[in-house]
Amino acid sequence: MRSQSMIPRLTAPILVGATLLGGSTQAAITRQNFTVTSGQGVELMVREVGDNDFQPGKPPVVLLHGARVPGIATFDLPVEGGSLAVDLARAGHRVFIMDARGYGGSSRDGQGGSQDGQPLVRSDAVVRDIGAVVDAVQARMGVSQVALLGWATGGHWTGMYASQNPSEVSHLVLYNSLYGAHSGHKSLGPGSDTADPGNPDQFNTRRFGAYRLNTAASLLPSWDRSIPVEDKAAWRDPKVVQAYQAAAVASDPTSGTRNPPSFRAPSGAIADSFELASGHKLWDAGPITAHVLVIRSGNDFWSRPEDVTSLAQDLRQAASVRTVTIPEATHYVHLDRPDRGRSSFLSEVIRTLEQPVETKAAH
């Protein structure tokens, strides 16, 4: 753990009665929000989720969102089947959901005015944010290592962090993530609509600007297209969808000032994903020493099979490596119905987190 002076500011804990998987016993799910400073005054919002069956021997898990929707809307919706954080807490882990800078409850420097400008929040900045949260979790839990799970661009960010700080990470789950395995992508990279029309090998900065505005309706088309049945409700619970849309819009305190309401998301993640889709690796998985799960949905529109293969080949020093593809699952499998891939996803994640590591004293 790096030496860093950090006193998280806490909110009052939120107590929620939750039914345990497989029975009617009530477990007290607790949620507590706090902030962590990540250099130059950047404040990061973190939510801790746990229950009274917490098992001290299990690693704390940090969850990191993707390019658009922040942490709570991604991982802790207040409906059954909508909270990966609660599922992991029920499995005995203490869970920490973070918002990278520019997202959700974290600092939003540069998002107060015009959308014009260079894309905000590139990968190196998010890696610094992960480091600040990891330090805070280590101090809070009295451990020297944490587990990281990143979805899509969150997997790119957590993988980059783990490659630069291998001794801090015990377990790593990369979920539907790009790795820059090769050039060629249906919706990203050269020739796609994310490219500059006048220079198709370059990212379209003019179109995406410093940050983007996203409505509730804009969250569904990519999800709809990846569901291989006409009846979308058969694949995902409408209550989860409604909660996801509502939480995403509510994550931005300015959303109600626009019609229709919309939430801001920095464009740096899309700019970096353009590079990855162009075949440019922005980090090397070689130094990672954690237990690693590389998991991909069969109907994912973001990652590619080659990303999984290349990652597995590069993870030469990892304590263990497993690659899993969930057939027909969508990019949003952690929010789909249990029999549409969510149960398989959860069991694979828990299986990886159960891999033993050498115990190290906290610094």
Side-chain angles (χ1 to χ4, degrees):
M1 187 187 337
R2 294 175 302 282
S3 175
Q4 184 172 348
S5 175
M6 191 178 318
I7 304 176
R9 289 184 288 282
L10 308 179
T11 64
I14 306 166
L15 297 178
V16 179
T19 303
L20 287 169
L21 293 174
S24 60
T25 303
Q26 295 294 308
I29 296 295
T30 62
R31 293 172 169 89
Q32 187 172 50
N33 297 341
F34 60 95
T35 59
V36 172
T37 301
S38 177
Q40 298 181 337
V42 173
E43 298 293 317
L44 307 175
M45 203 288 289
V46 182
R47 169 172 287 185
E48 178 180 352
V49 181
D51 74 4
N52 55 12
D53 290 326
F54 167 64
Q55 300 174 30
K58 294 195 173 184
V61 184
V62 176
L63 306 181
L64 184 54
H65 58 81
R68 183 161 53 156
V69 178
I72 291 173
T74 296
F75 295 120
D76 193 27
L77 299 175
V79 292
E80 186 66 28
S83 179
L84 177 62
V86 167
D87 291 329
L88 296 178
R90 288 171 174 166
H93 297 274
R94 194 59 57 85
V95 182
F96 297 85
I97 306 167
M98 66 172 284
D99 285 341
R101 68 183 70 193
Y103 293 88
S106 295
S107 296
R108 291 177 174 269
D109 294 347
Q111 295 185 20
S114 171
Q115 293 173 249
D116 295 337
Q118 291 299 309
L120 292 171
V121 187
R122 305 302 287 258
S123 295
D124 56 346
V126 180
V127 167
R128 290 196 297 273
D129 293 347
I130 297 170
V133 172
V134 167
D135 282 351
V137 171
Q138 288 172 331
R140 194 175 177 89
M141 300 298 296
V143 299
S144 63
Q145 293 184 310
V146 304
L148 300 176
L149 181 150
W151 176 35
T153 308
H156 157 66
W157 289 327
T158 54
M160 179 180 283
Y161 171 83
S163 71
Q164 297 176 10
N165 304 274
S167 65
E168 311 292 324
V169 184
S170 61
H171 303 76
L172 178 65
V173 179
L174 306 177
Y175 160 38
N176 286 339
S177 301
L178 287 166
Y179 183 55
H182 73 112
S183 180
H185 197 287
K186 293 180 180 179
S187 57
L188 291 165
S192 72
D193 62 3
T194 60
D196 186 333
N199 189 351
D201 290 331
Q202 299 296 317
F203 180 64
N204 192 345
T205 299
R206 181 182 295 274
R207 174 191 171 193
F208 286 89
Y211 64 94
R212 298 160 294 142
L213 297 177
N214 307 273
T215 63
S218 73
L219 298 176
L220 297 188
S222 61
W223 199 351
D224 288 345
R225 288 192 297 269
S226 62
I227 293 176
V229 297
E230 184 174 350
D231 181 7
K232 308 308 178 185
W235 204 274
R236 64 188 184 204
D237 188 338
K239 293 180 180 179
V240 172
V241 175
Q242 293 167 9
Y244 179 60
Q245 291 177 299
V249 173
S251 70
D252 186 342
T254 73
S255 61
T257 66
R258 293 177 289 274
N259 186 23
S262 58
F263 64 97
R264 297 164 294 173
S267 295
I270 303 300
D272 285 343
S273 296
F274 182 93
E275 296 297 319
L276 294 167
S278 303
H280 301 148
K281 287 184 181 179
L282 301 184
W283 57 280
D284 175 19
I288 294 173
T289 57
H291 292 284
V292 182
L293 170 64
V294 183
I295 189 165
R296 184 177 184 274
S297 297
N299 287 343
D300 187 33
F301 59 83
W302 191 263
S303 66
R304 303 156 297 186
E306 294 85 356
D307 293 302
V308 176
T309 302
S310 185
L311 266 167
Q313 292 172 345
D314 286 355
L315 288 162
R316 298 175 294 274
Q317 298 188 58
S320 66
V321 179
R322 289 196 306 116
T323 62
V324 174
T325 299
I326 305 176
E328 292 194 315
T330 77
H331 185 70
Y332 306 84
V333 65
H334 69 286
L335 295 174
D336 285 327
R337 292 189 182 275
D339 61 345
R340 299 301 189 176
R342 189 175 192 274
S343 291
S344 296
F345 171 79
L346 184 59
S347 66
E348 294 293 351
V349 171
I350 291 175
R351 176 184 171 188
T352 295
L353 295 175
E354 289 175 344
Q355 292 294 311
V357 296
E358 181 180 350
T359 302
K360 299 180 181 179
H363 295 184

